[in-house]
Amino acid sequence: MSKYFLNYLDELESEAIYILREVWAQFQNPVILFSGGKDSIVVTHLAKKAFYPSKIPFPLMHVDTGHNFPETIAFRDNIIKELGAQLIVGSVQESIDDGRVAEEKGKNATRNALQTTTLLDAIESNNIDCAIGGGRRDEEKARAKERFFSHRDDFGQWDPKNQRPELWNIFNGKHFQGEHFRAFPISNWTEMDIWNYIKRENIDIPSLYFAHEREVVWRQNSWIPNSEFLILEDHEEIVTKKIRFRTLGDITITGGVESDADTLEKIANEVAGMRQTERGNRSDDKRSESAMEDRKRQGYF
């Protein structure tokens, strides 16, 4: 009898598809949290494969801060049109206008923390019982604590000490009224796995991930892109550099790295030699040692 072996990407894909199908089986109204970044793009691609030949059976949700890269919004709109999927948009600007949150002030101001209220409001108003995210355990120490099915209480808060066991990949999605779950199908993937999978599957990604010339400012040990939202100090100077972004977030906090990697092969080779995590250039994660965990406890992704 011949033996059949899966390579490691096939194993990761199979695991993620299993989790996506479990979400659809256990929850009434799930969504995919779609940011336009590579991880949410991979999750969406996996959902296409999980339910093929049918369409993805749940909507995509984007929490729009209003400070996005224009390239990210264009990519989001194109993929929604291609998929024929429903898009739910939670607007941070509307949360500000409604007095739900107060905008930060100063040169390091960001709308990143404000996303939490907007996200939780969108989850409640749309009766969402599971939000599928692209978080991975290798990204950051707080995300390393996540289970595949991450329980959130009726305030949307995350308690890492009060999560369900997941022995033998048996998942428990039972919850009381008002509670919900986050699901993370690619928890066990690494940044290198993501790039190898994107290359293998020939998945389209935003041009921001490839090396390109851009006006930037050196701040907090990374190249922050110039934009209408950037407040310069007297000693700061706008320069043009050939950079790319390893992770995408608000244009005000996402730092780039100098790079000549303009193909998927070059990106994979570059990532293989990196000694800093991909979120090492995110200003929002540098505010404190526990910045990510504090946000997650409040209801962040």
Side-chain angles (χ1 to χ4, degrees), residues 146-165:
E146 284 282 18
R147 305 289 174 89
F148 285 115
F149 276 24
S150 178
H151 175 262
R152 306 300 170 103
D153 66 19
D154 50 357
F155 293 102
Q157 297 173 325
W158 172 68
D159 181 357
K161 296 180 179 179
N162 186 27
Q163 297 296 316
R164 314 283 174 79

Side-chain angles (χ1 to χ4, degrees), residues 88-251:
I88 299 171
V89 177
S91 171
V92 172
Q93 185 61 55
E94 288 184 8
S95 298
I96 295 171
D97 295 342
D98 293 342
R100 295 281 293 148
V101 294
E103 188 151 23
E104 294 181 4
K105 306 296 182 183
K107 77 160 192 173
N108 292 319
T110 171
R111 290 185 170 184
N112 199 50
L114 309 187
Q115 293 180 86
T116 299
T117 298
T118 305
L119 172 61
L120 294 177
D121 286 347
I123 286 173
E124 182 177 3
S125 62
N126 290 279
N127 297 315
I128 292 162
D129 53 1
C130 183
I132 306 164
R136 308 189 327 268
R137 293 187 178 118
D138 79 318
E139 288 183 274
E140 202 272 342
K141 55 182 179 288
R143 289 188 170 177
K145 299 178 182 179
E146 284 282 18
R147 305 289 174 89
F148 285 115
F149 276 24
S150 178
H151 175 262
R152 306 300 170 103
D153 66 19
D154 50 357
F155 293 102
Q157 297 173 325
W158 172 68
D159 181 357
K161 296 180 179 179
N162 186 27
Q163 297 296 316
R164 314 283 174 79
E166 295 181 344
L167 302 175
W168 306 290
N169 277 357
I170 297 174
F171 305 116
N172 179 2
K174 293 181 179 180
H175 58 284
F176 293 108
Q177 182 71 29
E179 300 176 342
H180 70 278
F181 274 76
R182 310 288 170 84
F184 299 102
I186 59 172
S187 287
N188 286 338
W189 297 46
T190 66
E191 183 184 9
M192 180 61 80
D193 296 333
I194 292 290
W195 286 115
N196 285 336
Y197 188 73
I198 288 172
K199 184 169 63 172
R200 189 187 81 171
E201 299 287 303
N202 194 28
I203 301 172
D204 287 334
I205 56 174
S207 59
L208 297 163
Y209 284 113
F210 298 101
H212 59 286
E213 289 194 347
R214 198 178 197 97
E215 289 188 346
V216 290
V217 172
W218 184 250
R219 181 181 291 179
Q220 292 186 314
N221 295 318
S222 61
W223 292 108
I224 302 297
N226 185 28
S227 71
E228 60 182 301
F229 311 110
L230 188 68
I231 301 174
L232 291 177
E233 292 195 330
D234 292 338
H235 68 277
E236 292 180 325
E237 178 185 4
I238 297 174
V239 297
T240 300
K241 293 282 184 179
K242 191 172 185 180
I243 65 166
R244 72 174 193 87
F245 299 96
R246 294 177 69 190
T247 178
L248 297 183
D250 265 16
I251 196 169

